[in-house]
Amino acid sequence: MAERAAPILEVRDLAVAFHTLAGELDAVDGISFDLHRGETLAILGESGSGKSVTAAAIMGILDSPPGFVRGGQALLDGVDLLALSEGRRRDLLGERIAIIFQDTLAHLNPVYSVGWQIAECFRIHRGVGRAEAYERAVDLMRQTHIPDPERRARDYPHQFSGGQRQRIMIAMALALEPDILIADEPTTALDVTVQAQILDLLIELRNARNMGLILITHDLGVVAEIADRLAVMFHGRIVESGSVGEVFADPQHAYTRRLMSAIPGRAPPPLRVATKVVGAAPLLEVRDLAKHYEVTSGLMRRRTGDVVKAVDGVSFDIQRGETLGVVGESGSGKTTLAKMLLLLEPPTSGSARFGGEDLFTLKGPDLLHLRRRMQVVFQDPFSSLNPRMSVAEIIAEPWSIHDGVVPKAERADRVVELLDRVGLAAEHARRYPHQFSGGQRQRIAIARALALAPDLVICDEAVSALDVSIQAQILDLLKSLRDELGLAYIFIAHDLAVVRELADRVAVMKTGKIVELGTTAQIFDRPAHPYTQALLGASPLPDPELMAERRQRRGIGIQMVKNG
Amino acid sequence: MGTYLARRAVHSFVSLAGLLILVFFLARLTGDPTNLYLPLDATLEARQEFAERHGFNDPVIVQFGRFLSGLAEFDLGTSIRKHRPAADVVLEAIPVTLGLAAVTMIVALLGAIVVGSLAAYRPGRIFDRLASVISLASASAPDFWVAITAILLFAVTLGWLPTSGTGGFAIEYWIMPIGVLLIRPFGLMVQVVRGSMLTALSSAYVKTARAKGVTERAVIFVHALRNGMLPVITVASDQAAGIANGAVIVETIFGWPGVGKLMIDSILYRDFAVIQASILITAAVIFTINIVVDIAYAVLDPRIRHH
């Protein structure tokens, strides 16, 4: 490649720290990197590695106090952003450098229309009049492929889907044609097919405008999909950087190597034959299960006759010790299915037999007894554990509900046993949930689920909120528990790689129906249904060459930067 | 929105009916007005005649029936104290109280928004601490004491303001009653504004606004304030309803002929028709305040509008 022009952004020895009760804490510890026009630099790291703090510091939107920039420079065309007066920096924000965020629902103002919010950029920076600014906002929404932009500009953030909201965020960030766009986990909360569309859009706009793009992510698949260069952050430092191809092919730093090997589903999982007893009755038989919500309106809350079919006639069996993966995009009915099986939501029709007994007609003590055999682990370990109960109380609570499982005198010992089983220590019993990391909390939730020695555990996106390396640990734990205790799992996830790692069979759900059900090998290697194929085709894989090929097919080429 | 308002109106009508029934019968438990209006040594005939004239000798349930049929013709009965239609008596007092309430709430709300927002902008700084101390003191000040002290200082000692009366509603007569009335709502609302603005200013959308290059003033008063207004409006409507319901103490001390004073007097004089009429009309006012608040919610927050 020919010699490059000067970088558009040079970050030199950037250091950011936070005032905490325990003194000053370094979040970013002297990092340096360059960004050129027309290239994508990925900053990869797990939560707490300092990647988002880096972005906030460059933009000058650090939470301050407690955060502060300790030193370093961020040179935009030679002008140090960190040394500018507030007024001068404000002139550059949005104009030369812009940012988009992960949680678009929280990051867009809920009480102003999206057209107003995009138009605000023109009004404050360019002094454009209200009507004209609004016109331009509509035009930007058209450029980011929002259908019917004239009408939609008047709508509010909550009226858009997650993918559309990210398009609006992008439209807002790119309103003034900045030279640099920072994308902070832009696709993390989105379904895979939507994720692919947003990444395509980012590349399209980057190419069209010759911008520099900084992509902050924890997802190696996304890096492989669109980045040119990669910087790996770990504990506030950049531990490795280089072209994406180089780093993926030959990771140098121990942390990078660990990250690469932690990717779920990278190696084909060892063939596992479910401990299926031939001829034995299945543990759970679900037949034509459905949940319809009726839409009501008017003074008398009359039924309008419209019905939302959250789950629409689903049937499957689960054997003892078997793991059924349930995949599908948000709104496909996965969680409603789980809620019905847990009797948290009454079904509209259909039946389910658990251990030969009809789940939906049991009452009183029989039902209580049955509930013991079926437990759940939820997605968000921050809100699914009661913050005012100690770990010991959380784990032991099922025993006071279900009398006679564990005598009072033995409960303390059993708690320690369970903690040991899920990889925690005895001294953790007296602590409270907020004192644990996300992964540890999920272990506590698993210990609680195991307390009643269930036959079936429903995991609803149980590892989705966790970093990749933690995800791998929790998956290992679930595997070993399954093998030792003969547990059956219903493993609900939107992440296909995770399901591939754990499931014996996979059910693919779309708009309330199971469109394909087969063994894991069948689903991943020979998907029959077009939707399954689309789902597999859209999920980014941590393999730069494969992704480049796929991108070519979609017609989005990454033009390499050529200067001179 | 239309359906929603209709549903609210039906609910309000039901609770209003319940309230009227309760007030009608409870008022009659306070005693027989005959003893109050006729001399102690009045003859039995005179007593009979008085009860007959005002319909007190009929069974209570018959009196209630008469009240309902009067209501159907918008007749709220006659004041036995003033010998005039009860509705007229109340409708004279209502504008006085509403005027007091409206001016007080507008001043208190605007003041609280500015002070509370600026306190929340830099929490823990000197302005915030000052605002906290002042708002706490003002939220807990006993208004009768403040009223009397104010009269002593500004009317008696300094002679700047009149001691009491409405004086044809000249501006100097408004200053003290409003000053006293707004102390508590102001203090309370500063604290509510501060609390909800703290949340709004630390939200993600404020970060987005700053990243767009929005000025700090617009961040506070355009991006954060509209989000922070909902709890403030709830408290403000509650305070407004309280004042509309009769700022009894202030009206009494400053001699303002408002609804609060009228209601207290009517209870003391067992003037049942006026009690019922003032309750009916203030309830209607409070219902209107609540509707206005609901509309304000929907205007401020589209998520409520689309629900």
Side-chain angles (χ1 to χ4, degrees), chain B residues 164-303:
Chain B
S164 70
T166 57
F169 302 104
I171 187 97
E172 64 264 32
Y173 288 89
W174 286 83
I175 293 173
M176 269 203 289
I178 287 183
V180 173
L181 264 184
L182 68 74
I183 283 179
R184 199 174 302 177
F186 170 75
L188 206 63
M189 286 193 296
V190 165
Q191 300 189 334
V192 177
V193 171
R194 180 185 178 272
S196 72
M197 285 298 278
L198 269 180
T199 315
L201 283 168
S202 59
S203 65
Y205 54 80
V206 159
K207 206 174 251 191
T208 310
R210 289 196 170 125
K212 274 201 284 189
V214 174
T215 61
E216 289 300 289
R217 198 179 55 190
V219 162
I220 301 174
F221 292 109
V222 177
H223 283 267
L225 184 61
R226 188 155 161 193
N227 281 281
M229 275 307 280
L230 290 195
V232 181
I233 285 183
T234 310
V235 174
S237 76
D238 198 46
Q239 296 291 311
I243 302 178
N245 214 348
V248 181
I249 289 171
V250 167
E251 284 175 6
T252 309
I253 291 178
F254 292 102
W256 277 54
V259 171
K261 194 164 183 310
L262 178 69
M263 248 192 270
I264 292 289
D265 290 346
S266 305
I267 292 168
L268 291 177
Y269 286 99
R270 291 175 200 161
D271 198 348
F272 301 148
V274 177
I275 300 177
Q276 289 151 13
S278 41
I279 296 233
L280 186 68
I281 292 172
T282 42
V285 167
I286 289 168
F287 167 72
T288 314
I289 292 179
N290 284 328
I291 291 288
V292 169
V293 165
D294 282 338
I295 294 171
Y297 280 163
V299 168
L300 285 173
D301 193 338
R303 287 165 297 182

Side-chain angles (χ1 to χ4, degrees), chain A residues 118 143 219 253 263 272 299 373 399 413 431 440 471 503 530:
Chain A
I118 300 171
Q143 286 177 42
D219 189 333
H253 194 273
I263 302 165
R272 202 180 80 90
L299 188 58
R373 299 169 55 195
W399 298 326
D413 292 340
R431 295 193 197 161
Q440 286 175 318
Q471 213 172 49

Side-chain angles (χ1 to χ4, degrees), chain A residues 8 13 23 48 60 113 120 177 187 197 256 361 369 453 475 524 534 545 564:
Chain A
I8 181 88
D13 303 314
S113 72
E120 194 185 22
E177 314 211 343
T187 58
Q197 293 161 10
T256 318
T361 55
H369 194 78
L475 285 176
F524 281 91
E545 278 171 36

Side-chain angles (χ1 to χ4, degrees), chain A residues 292-297 302-309 348:
Chain A
H292 297 176
Y293 294 98
E294 295 196 51
V295 182
T296 61
S297 82
R302 250 190 307 273
R303 291 173 180 169
T304 56
D306 289 339
V307 169
V308 177
K309 295 176 177 175
T348 309

Side-chain angles (χ1 to χ4, degrees), chain B residues 125-180:
Chain B
R125 298 290 180 85
I126 183 75
F127 183 81
D128 180 34
R129 290 188 205 181
L130 215 62
S132 292
V133 171
I134 291 171
S135 65
L136 189 67
S138 100
S140 43
D143 45 6
F144 63 90
W145 176 82
V146 177
I148 291 168
T149 316
I151 291 176
L152 206 60
L153 182 66
F154 295 111
V156 179
T157 310
L158 297 169
W160 292 349
L161 296 168
T163 49
S164 70
T166 57
F169 302 104
I171 187 97
E172 64 264 32
Y173 288 89
W174 286 83
I175 293 173
M176 269 203 289
I178 287 183
V180 173

